[in-house]
Amino acid sequence: MSPGQERAPDPRTARTRQRLRESLLAECATAALAEVSVSAVVRRAGVGRATFYLHYEDLTALAVDACADVVRAAVDALHAWQTGPGARPPGQPPAALAGFLAQAAARAPLYGVLLLPGGLGPLGERLHHELRERARAEREAAGAPHPELVASAVAAAFTGVLADWLHGTVPMGPDALAEQLWLLLMGLHRAV
């Protein structure tokens, strides 16, 4: 392999990681993350402890990896109006946003451990970063002013509100939150 070329991912590694992620999510469906053990996860996944530690530092690292889909889903839900079928004008939230929030509510106990109030925590950091980068790139492509400033504000507002909502400090259902959050984010885009 020449320098600069990347190796294709090993399918065995991908399968093992997927089994570990599924196992953790299944365990967390009946117990809080703090109550889940590595032993239970590896037993359910059908792998050894050593294999677990080859792939993950600890259960939190596995949980963040298992929940990475929520980050992609959030970013995609916020931008669904641009690419989805039946695209709506920016004045209305895309249907995917309320759908995402309903799915997130179903896993609130797990996400709440990783996405702390105010948007802190390992999942919050990842969500904030990906939202900021997508918003910045889109504003730059559109020639909108201050892409870095607005992207940071949008990412911080969404991540913080989502986290606080999952922790019960923003008392709204998914549909109402989608509407209000959309207005807030559009206001941030128009503010500069």
Side-chain angles (χ1 to χ4, degrees):
M1 182 181 314
S2 64
Q5 285 183 322
E6 290 186 32
R7 257 189 195 171
D10 182 346
R12 293 172 298 175
T13 298
R15 281 192 303 270
T16 299
R17 286 177 165 259
Q18 183 60 32
R19 287 188 3 224
L20 287 166
R21 287 190 295 265
E22 289 170 357
S23 176
L24 176 77
L25 292 173
E27 290 292 325
C28 287
T30 59
L33 181 61
E35 299 168 4
V36 173
S37 68
V38 171
S39 297
V41 170
V42 298
R43 186 172 34 257
R44 184 182 288 264
V47 302
R49 266 181 102 78
T51 299
F52 173 88
Y53 287 109
L54 281 174
H55 296 283
Y56 298 101
E57 180 180 318
D58 55 22
L59 281 175
T60 300
L62 170 58
V64 169
D65 188 34
C67 295
D69 287 345
V70 76
V71 171
R72 283 187 292 282
V75 173
D76 290 344
L78 281 174
H79 296 90
W81 67 273
Q82 296 172 326
T83 58
R88 296 179 179 199
Q92 301 174 40
L97 181 55
F100 161 75
L101 292 170
Q103 290 175 349
R107 287 204 173 141
L110 175 58
Y111 295 161
V113 171
L114 304 170
L115 182 58
L116 304 176
L120 303 173
L123 196 57
E125 290 173 18
R126 192 167 183 171
L127 178 58
H128 184 273
H129 173 76
E130 290 194 25
L131 280 171
R132 185 183 63 228
E133 289 309 306
R134 178 100 170 246
R136 183 197 52 74
E138 288 178 357
R139 282 187 71 84
E140 280 181 356
H146 307 292
E148 296 84 7
L149 173 66
V150 174
S152 288
V154 165
F158 181 83
T159 304
V161 169
L162 175 64
D164 289 350
W165 179 69
L166 289 172
H167 285 276
T169 58
V170 177
M172 293 181 178
D175 291 331
L177 180 62
E179 297 262 339
Q180 295 304 309
L181 192 51
W182 188 254
L183 292 172
L184 174 66
L185 298 177
M186 291 300 102
L188 290 170
H189 274 286
R190 288 189 292 267
V192 226

